[in-house]
Amino acid sequence: MSADRTEQLRAIRDAVLNLTESPLYEYRTLNKYFPVLGQGDHNATIMFIGEAPGKNEAETGRPFCGASGRVLDELLASIDLRREDVYVTNILKDRPPNNRDPLKAEIELYAPFLERQIDIIQPKVIATLGRFAMGFILRHFGASQANQKISQLHGSAITVRASYGKAVVLPLFHPAAALYNASQRDTLEADFQVLKQFISQERSTPMRLL
Ligand code: URA
């Protein structure tokens, strides 16, 4: 089962590696960057979805490995989770120049890869990090809340119907927001408590980069 998931995720990685039609492909290759597919447990109950890789991520091929990633790790630790217990990915798999917001066309181009990752891993909880991931995921599942603001929806569990059954979307602020703002950090910590009820008993395997 898990080997099968890994095979399917490898196929996604290979497709993204060769995504020459991406407007970000040339920027990736010129800078000797890597695409960032995702990292963690292929059987995870909880999947985190961020926006796009930053510089650190593009240099290493690992999601959330810079300053925002440290915040994410601390938030995970606050509910007794480690990265290897969850799966972490982004909407865009390549870094946009100067960390600008993702463009609509870029989101549309990379969306099928994220959608396949969700269908393969089949998370019970999809925790979105920031407004882009929240908007994309709520629209993807046809949620009636899709046009609401993250300031209204953060921390509230929204039930959606995925291809593999019921799932919960949990909108969260982006960890970068907590870097310089203590009250955003408090909010994120409180919202992470909502995840506690979904933590499964069995702990998983060594960390996978894919
Ligand atoms: N911000 C994101 O949205 N994703 C990353 O992987 C890193 C920073």
Side-chain angles (χ1 to χ4, degrees):
M1 169 78 143
S2 184
D4 188 46
R5 290 183 181 198
T6 303
E7 280 308 304
Q8 294 179 64
L9 291 166
R10 283 203 183 114
I12 297 175
R13 178 197 57 198
D14 293 345
V16 171
L17 268 171
N18 298 307
L19 197 67
T20 51
E21 68 267 39
S22 169
L24 303 176
Y25 181 84
E26 195 180 52
Y27 185 63
R28 181 214 295 168
T29 48
L30 277 176
N31 287 286
K32 300 195 167 46
Y33 285 157
F34 294 102
V36 180
L37 270 298
Q39 189 176 37
D41 181 7
H42 296 173
N43 296 295
T45 303
I46 305 173
M47 178 188 265
F48 287 88
I49 301 176
E51 188 176 306
K55 190 166 188 286
N56 289 302
E57 289 76 21
E59 283 175 350
T60 58
R62 295 170 185 274
F64 283 94
C65 64
S68 302
R70 279 192 291 282
V71 176
L72 178 59
D73 285 338
E74 289 164 10
L75 291 163
L76 286 170
S78 76
I79 53 167
D80 200 23
L81 281 180
R82 304 159 304 169
R83 279 288 180 110
E84 24 308 45
D85 303 319
V86 300
Y87 191 82
V88 181
T89 187
N90 286 299
I91 315 177
L92 300 198
K93 310 306 186 196
D94 282 300
R95 181 189 182 210
N98 306 316
N99 299 340
R100 64 155 167 71
D101 287 348
L103 303 178
K104 192 162 174 274
E106 292 165 351
I107 293 177
E108 278 168 14
L109 182 74
Y110 286 92
F113 302 112
L114 175 60
E115 289 163 2
R116 274 157 64 192
Q117 288 174 307
I118 294 170
D119 286 345
I120 293 166
I121 294 170
Q122 307 187 4
K124 294 261 180 303
V125 182
I126 299 175
T128 56
L129 300 169
R131 65 192 167 93
F132 281 98
M134 181 193 87
F136 174 79
I137 287 295
L138 291 180
R139 279 193 301 279
H140 171 66
F141 288 116
S144 60
Q145 297 87 340
N147 290 323
Q148 292 185 41
K149 293 212 160 90
I150 191 166
S151 52
Q152 296 171 286
L153 293 181
H154 73 90
S156 48
I158 298 167
T159 303
V160 295
R161 179 148 293 282
S163 62
Y164 50 87
K166 261 201 323 197
V168 163
V169 175
L170 180 67
L172 298 168
F173 284 114
H174 195 285
L179 279 172
Y180 307 105
N181 185 328
S183 85
Q184 289 273 25
R185 167 110 193 183
D186 292 346
T187 304
L188 261 166
E189 278 178 14
D191 290 350
F192 257 71
Q193 291 299 315
V194 180
L195 283 173
K196 259 188 165 168
Q197 62 190 292
F198 299 105
I199 299 173
S200 54
Q201 292 313 306
E202 81 276 15
R203 292 302 171 119
S204 59
T205 48
M207 179 85 117
R208 288 174 189 271
L209 177 60
L210 192 70

